[in-house]
């Protein structure tokens, strides 16, 4: 096995968009050197000033050649850029023998480079934000707890649901607050969702049409499936003796969202790519996010396992509102990601592909560390 490249202590944080928050400040405390790469050096300096980090990180103007030229063996590159740009950054990391981290799902283009990264002794950390990220930690923790009580070889049926949403802290008529690019939101709704329900695979060509009510802590939300949930049955390592009755990963919205968004859905049913891109611009103009707005992030992961003679049921709930210093979305994305980078720096993550959670043991460690850092969430045991 190739020896892992020791971390140099230098972190290159690339991008300072809506998901960059106090995780960057945490790394400024712990890393030997932090560089913030943004569109221009002036914008990078302004972002640092806005976060109270002037003098604690170096502002840099981002271009891929400029970043590549600045990399040294053992550096860590943290990509906050859109997912399609991760592969090029990872390629630069492999050439420079630098580690790589992001909060996004693993793309095929990134996955193709993992063997070369592993052979070079490099860590590739992905899915280490909110969703994906914290949701994985919660799911692995719940599965580990149920496995210990039910037993991995005991035949049982299970139901696992994982719903996450960024919503306005103060409900508005639109029942939504854009926390990422409107075009990305619309395209996600245009993508079919595959999940397990009543023990069978189901595909929702229009995910919003599978919306159902979900009550959390006495409050009614609307929840719908998104993306492809099925591969996560294997990724989460659920025992082969357990049979999935329900397995859904999806999105959470405020009650009334589907009714408020019906005009948008009409456009999604009929529109082509050009029209949807125009609609995204119209929605951004009609529903701007201002500095006075406060966002709210809600993440609920629940698991019930029923064997012939016993049942285990429990869940995690995170419900966080942003403040004037930081949005809830930025906090929930950047803090788990920064924690992952800390584990690259301390050498505890192995070379090759890593996600926020690979085991229940790692989930327990990371959740304890996140709790100590001030990320609040609740665990409940129902049965």
């Amino acid at each position: 096995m190739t020896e892992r490249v020791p971390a140099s202590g230098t972190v290159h944080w690339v991008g300072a968009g809506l998901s960059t928050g106090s995780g960057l400040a945490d790394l400024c405390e712990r890393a030997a050197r932090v560089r913030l790469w943004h569109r221009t050096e002036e914008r990078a300096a302004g972002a640092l000033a806005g976060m109270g980090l002037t003098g604690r990180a170096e502002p840099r103007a981002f271009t891929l050649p400029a970043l590549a030229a600045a990399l040294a063996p053992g550096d860590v590159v943290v990509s906050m850029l859109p997912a399609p740009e991760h592969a090029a950054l990872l390629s630069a990391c492999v050439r420079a023998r630098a580690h790589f981290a992001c909060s996004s799902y693993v793309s095929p283009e990134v996955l193709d480079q993992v063997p070369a990264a592993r052979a070079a002794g490099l860590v590739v950390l992905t899915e280490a934000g909110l969703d994906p990220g914290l949701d994985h930690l919660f799911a692995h923790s719940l599965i580990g707890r149920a496995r210990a009580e039910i037993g991995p070889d005991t035949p049982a049926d299970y139901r696992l649901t994982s719903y996450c949403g960024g919503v306005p802290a103060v409900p508005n008529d639109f029942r939504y607050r854009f926390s990422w690019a409107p075009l990305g939101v619309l395209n996600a709704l245009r993508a079919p969702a595959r999940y397990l329900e009543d023990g069978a695979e189901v595909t929702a060509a229009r995910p919003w049409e599978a919306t159902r009510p979900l009550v959390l802590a006495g409050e009614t939300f609307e929840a719908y499936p998104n993306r492809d949930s099925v591969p996560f049955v294997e990724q989460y390592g659920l025992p082969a003796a357990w049979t999935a009755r329900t397995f859904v990963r999806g999105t959470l919205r405020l009650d009334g969202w589907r009714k408020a968004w019906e005009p948008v859905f009409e456009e999604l049913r009929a529109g082509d790519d050009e029209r949807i891109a125009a609609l995204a611009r119209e929605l951004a103009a009609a529903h701007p996010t201002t500095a006075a707005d406060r966002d709210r992030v809600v993440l609920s992961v629940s698991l019930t396992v029923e064997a012939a003679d016993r049942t285990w049921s429990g869940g995690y709930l995170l419900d966080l509102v942003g403040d004037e210093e930081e949005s809830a979305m930025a906090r929930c994305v950047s803090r788990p990601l920064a924690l992952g980078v800390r584990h690259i720096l301390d050498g505890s993550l192995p070379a090759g592909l890593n996600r926020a959670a690979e085991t229940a043991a790692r989930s327990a460690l990371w959740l304890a560390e996140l709790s100590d850092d001030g990320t609040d969430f609740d665990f409940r045991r129902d049965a």
Side-chain angles (χ1 to χ4, degrees):
M1 181 180 295
T2 304
E3 185 177 352
R4 211 203 84 155
V5 174
S8 67
T10 295
V11 175
H12 302 264
W13 188 285
V14 185
L18 293 176
S19 293
T20 292
S22 55
L24 177 59
D26 177 78
L27 291 176
C28 288
E29 290 286 341
R30 300 171 187 270
R33 169 187 288 176
V34 176
R35 291 170 175 157
L36 176 63
W37 298 79
H38 205 17
R39 295 177 184 175
T40 65
E41 185 173 331
E42 290 74 19
R43 285 198 174 194
L48 290 172
M51 291 183 281
L53 298 177
T54 299
R56 297 171 60 189
E58 303 170 15
R60 295 291 183 92
F62 173 72
T63 65
L64 186 56
L67 173 66
L71 293 180
D75 286 3
V76 183
V77 171
V78 182
S79 177
M80 302 300 286
L81 300 180
E85 299 185 47
H86 291 165
L89 284 177
L90 178 55
S91 180
C93 288
V94 172
R95 291 193 299 271
R97 302 184 68 229
H99 306 288
F100 176 83
C102 71
S103 62
S104 303
Y105 287 102
V106 183
S107 68
E109 295 76 16
V110 166
L111 197 59
D112 286 345
Q113 298 186 63
V114 168
R118 184 187 300 110
L122 303 175
V123 177
V124 179
L125 175 64
T126 64
E127 301 183 19
L130 167 62
D131 174 8
L134 280 172
D135 57 342
H136 293 345
L137 294 171
F138 289 169
H140 275 279
S141 175
L142 294 174
I143 294 165
R145 292 170 186 264
R147 180 194 293 265
E149 186 155 327
I150 299 293
D153 300 321
T154 302
D157 291 343
Y158 70 87
R159 298 185 299 275
L160 189 151
T161 60
S162 178
Y163 292 109
C164 183
V167 299
V170 178
N172 53 27
D173 291 341
F174 193 49
R175 314 303 287 175
Y176 188 66
R177 176 188 188 275
F178 286 107
S179 57
W180 57 303
L183 183 58
V185 175
L186 297 182
N187 282 333
L189 285 166
R190 298 171 77 194
R194 188 168 70 124
Y195 55 101
L196 303 177
E197 188 171 46
D198 296 328
E201 283 192 14
V202 178
T203 298
R206 296 166 176 163
W208 69 85
E209 294 181 351
T211 299
R212 63 194 63 186
L214 179 67
V215 178
L216 300 173
E219 181 178 356
T220 300
F221 294 87
E222 295 181 354
Y224 63 89
N226 65 7
R227 301 176 67 96
D228 188 353
S229 298
V230 177
F232 289 91
V233 173
E234 180 179 357
Q235 181 173 317
Y236 285 173
L238 284 143
W242 297 1
T243 300
R245 305 308 302 170
T246 300
F247 190 98
V248 183
R249 301 178 74 253
T251 298
L252 204 63
R253 295 288 181 252
L254 292 177
D255 190 32
W257 168 80
R258 186 172 177 181
K259 180 179 180 181
W261 272 54
E262 187 53 44
V264 176
F265 300 146
E266 288 297 328
E267 297 268 17
L268 295 180
R269 292 184 183 100
D272 57 15
D273 289 348
E274 183 176 353
R275 173 56 196 144
I276 300 307
L279 176 62
R281 293 190 292 271
E282 293 167 12
L283 291 174
H287 305 282
T289 297
T290 71
D293 291 337
R294 296 291 176 261
D295 70 328
R296 178 186 180 193
V297 167
V298 182
L299 169 61
S300 171
V301 183
S302 298
L303 173 66
T304 297
V305 183
E306 297 177 329
D309 59 344
R310 57 193 181 277
T311 296
W312 189 96
S313 182
Y316 280 98
L317 177 63
L318 177 150
D319 190 344
L320 182 68
V321 174
D323 54 36
E324 62 183 10
E325 295 182 357
E326 179 181 29
S327 71
M329 186 64 67
R331 188 177 311 170
C332 290
V333 173
S334 68
R335 287 190 179 181
L337 183 55
L339 176 59
V341 173
R342 282 158 47 184
H343 285 298
I344 297 176
L345 294 173
D346 68 19
S348 60
L349 287 182
L353 182 64
N354 293 264
R355 296 176 174 90
E358 305 284 356
T359 64
R362 184 192 290 177
S363 294
L365 173 66
W366 283 36
L367 289 174
E369 291 175 313
L370 286 166
S371 181
D372 289 344
D373 289 344
T375 301
D376 295 324
F377 49 82
D378 294 315
F379 166 75
R380 72 176 192 280
R381 171 72 187 272
D382 300 324

